[in-house]
Amino acid sequence: MEERNNYDYGIKSTLAQCWAISGAWLLQIDLGLQVITSTIVIGALENNRPKNKNEFLTITSEEASWFGSLQYLFTPLGNFFSLVLLDRLGHKKCMILTTIPCLGAQIILYYAKNIEMLYVSSSMMALSIGFLNPPSLGYTGEVCDPKLRGTLTSSMNIFYYVGTIILTMMYSITKQWRLTMIVATVFPILTIIILLTAPESPMWLLANGKHLKAHRNLRRLRGKVSHEKCENEFQEMIKYSVPAKSDKPNHNNNTNDWKQLFKPEVLRPFRLMMMYFFFKNLFSVLPLLPYLVSIFNKFGAPVNVEWTISFSMSLCIAGSVMAVFLIRILGKRLLTLFSLSVCSVCYIIIGLIGVNWTNTEPLKSWIVLILFLTNNLISSAGLTPIAWTLLTEVFPAKSKNIACNLSTASFFVITFFMTKFYPELSILVEFYNVFTINGIIGLFGCIYFYFCLPETENKTLQEISEFFK
């Protein structure tokens, strides 16, 4: 086995890398802003609920479900644009491009006069969300040195939840959703400014034959160290990047890459990821975000709904920080089984209490709210971060780019259907029974992952790939 280098560039390198990926961190804040937008708009406008007497726009429950779910329906189109443009334009330009539909959507929301304008803004946010993750995650992974890569990459999820908290707190203070949207345009504008100062990924430059600029950028990312100090890392980058580029012009190789998708070592992890994304969505609250105001109102606890949503997102940040340490201690398999089982039990208890405790309203309201928030904390400490980490590990190298994009697109399709039809399901089986059903399904998920989910922590990508053959 090839000897591994110990990279020790010092504190200047750490600061340089943090500055370089600060644009990617801001993109995650933009992502959080966009995802939580539907929660605020629907909470303010659904069923003649405007709190501002000057607000003229209202939406029905059906229109609300479309507005909340369109955010995920067109996301695969953003994934497609990312797949097509990433190799051509590079990570930096793609990250700048992804802020444009985000900024446009926020401006359209501010001036929205009818439901059609809300739909257009939601579709534009979907394009931005789909376009955003591949370049930002890829850039972070490529510019960070091996010693910092895991820590800095795992921190991305924290900034996503920071974005959700910022928007909900702004709305809690202003009480005006239009004002909140226009103030939020500061973030994509700031993101563009920061990204313009960031260096392009050395690996992308190498893959495009720009060796001198790649070496210059690598030295900049390592704290402006000497040419010799980063030479070993640069040679390793050449070894991995240049051969990958030489394969691309060959049409037969492109065709073979697509044929790889039908091999067992790709189909099996793809099936695993689809199951993981399904169970993640059951308990991560992502499909419920557009309806959180309504859900908290139905719980009936005497709390300020807007501030409760902010507190819920704060718990998700705490969970994301916990995940950084828990994954190392417990491993991904055990943490998955633990978080899924706890979340399932929480949901089952919420459902049973909601249906059967009819004469203890104040106590019942507080218990179901606390259990719901506990579920948010546990899922963000296990299911949510592990899902995206597994996505980068389980596919073989040759088909990873295509398989990851297809998996991500499929995830958003699943999210669309779960978001769109949640109101109908809630009416069909009644509100609290939805939690009971999801909890029971989650227990079956524990059985599935016990037999089918391998432990990937502290294993090489080759060892993981061998498991699925």
Side-chain angles (χ1 to χ4, degrees), residues 113-264:
K113 297 179 179 179
N114 50 51
I115 186 61
E116 287 76 17
M117 293 183 73
L118 294 183
Y119 289 161
V120 170
S121 69
S122 185
S123 300
M124 290 179 67
M125 284 188 284
L127 290 176
S128 178
I129 292 170
F131 202 163
L132 186 151
N133 271 328
S136 60
L137 291 174
Y139 180 81
T140 304
E142 291 183 9
V143 303
C144 296
D145 70 59
K147 290 179 68 175
L148 294 175
R149 185 178 297 132
T151 301
L152 294 180
T153 303
S154 62
S155 68
M156 302 284 277
N157 206 43
I158 297 173
F159 286 89
Y160 159 73
Y161 287 118
V162 168
T164 64
I165 290 177
I166 288 173
L167 202 69
T168 52
M169 289 186 69
M170 283 198 300
Y171 179 62
S172 300
I173 294 169
T174 65
K175 302 295 183 183
Q176 300 181 48
W177 69 273
R178 292 180 188 270
L179 178 60
T180 302
M181 292 302 115
I182 202 65
V183 172
T185 58
V186 170
F187 290 95
I189 294 172
L190 180 61
T191 302
I192 294 174
I193 295 172
I194 297 297
L195 284 171
L196 288 173
T197 69
E200 182 53 88
S201 162
M203 285 192 180
W204 182 82
L205 291 170
L206 280 172
N208 285 270
K210 302 177 180 180
H211 286 225
L212 289 177
K213 189 173 182 180
H215 204 298
R216 187 164 62 247
N217 281 10
L218 179 61
R219 290 178 59 198
R220 179 181 169 187
L221 287 163
R222 300 301 177 256
K224 297 183 178 179
V225 297
S226 65
H227 184 283
E228 293 76 16
K229 190 168 179 64
C230 63
E231 183 62 23
N232 286 339
E233 185 179 1
F234 185 67
Q235 291 301 321
E236 286 193 6
M237 285 185 174
I238 292 176
K239 189 184 305 180
Y240 287 105
S241 301
V242 176
K245 180 67 180 177
S246 66
D247 290 341
K248 287 178 184 176
N250 190 315
H251 173 74
N252 291 330
N253 282 333
N254 286 335
T255 304
N256 290 335
D257 286 347
W258 285 98
K259 288 182 179 179
Q260 291 283 327
L261 297 176
F262 299 97
K263 292 191 174 182

Side-chain angles (χ1 to χ4, degrees), residues 19 59 69 88 106 143 162 187 202 217 254-255 273 301 303-304 314 331 337 357 392 397 430 454 462 466:
W19 176 256
I59 58 177
S69 58
R88 290 175 171 82
Q106 291 170 331
V143 303
V162 168
F187 290 95
N217 281 10
N254 286 335
T255 304
M273 289 311 307
V303 295
N304 179 286
S314 300
L337 295 173
W357 283 24
T392 66
E430 296 185 354
Q462 182 61 35
E466 288 292 330

Side-chain angles (χ1 to χ4, degrees), residues 7-44:
Y7 301 99
D8 187 12
Y9 294 107
I11 186 64
K12 288 179 64 177
S13 172
T14 301
L15 294 175
Q17 291 172 66
C18 287
W19 176 256
I21 67 170
S22 59
W25 284 340
L26 281 170
L27 276 179
Q28 290 299 311
I29 291 178
D30 295 340
L31 175 62
L33 295 174
Q34 293 176 88
V35 169
I36 203 68
T37 291
S38 59
T39 306
I40 292 172
V41 176
I42 291 174

Side-chain angles (χ1 to χ4, degrees), residues 351-365:
L352 293 178
I353 290 177
V355 171
N356 298 303
W357 283 24
T358 56
N359 299 322
T360 55
E361 194 60 37
L363 179 61
K364 163 190 165 183
S365 300

Side-chain angles (χ1 to χ4, degrees), residues 70-82:
L70 279 175
Q71 204 172 54
Y72 307 112
L73 179 62
F74 290 103
T75 303
L77 185 59
N79 289 131
F80 173 76
F81 287 142
S82 178

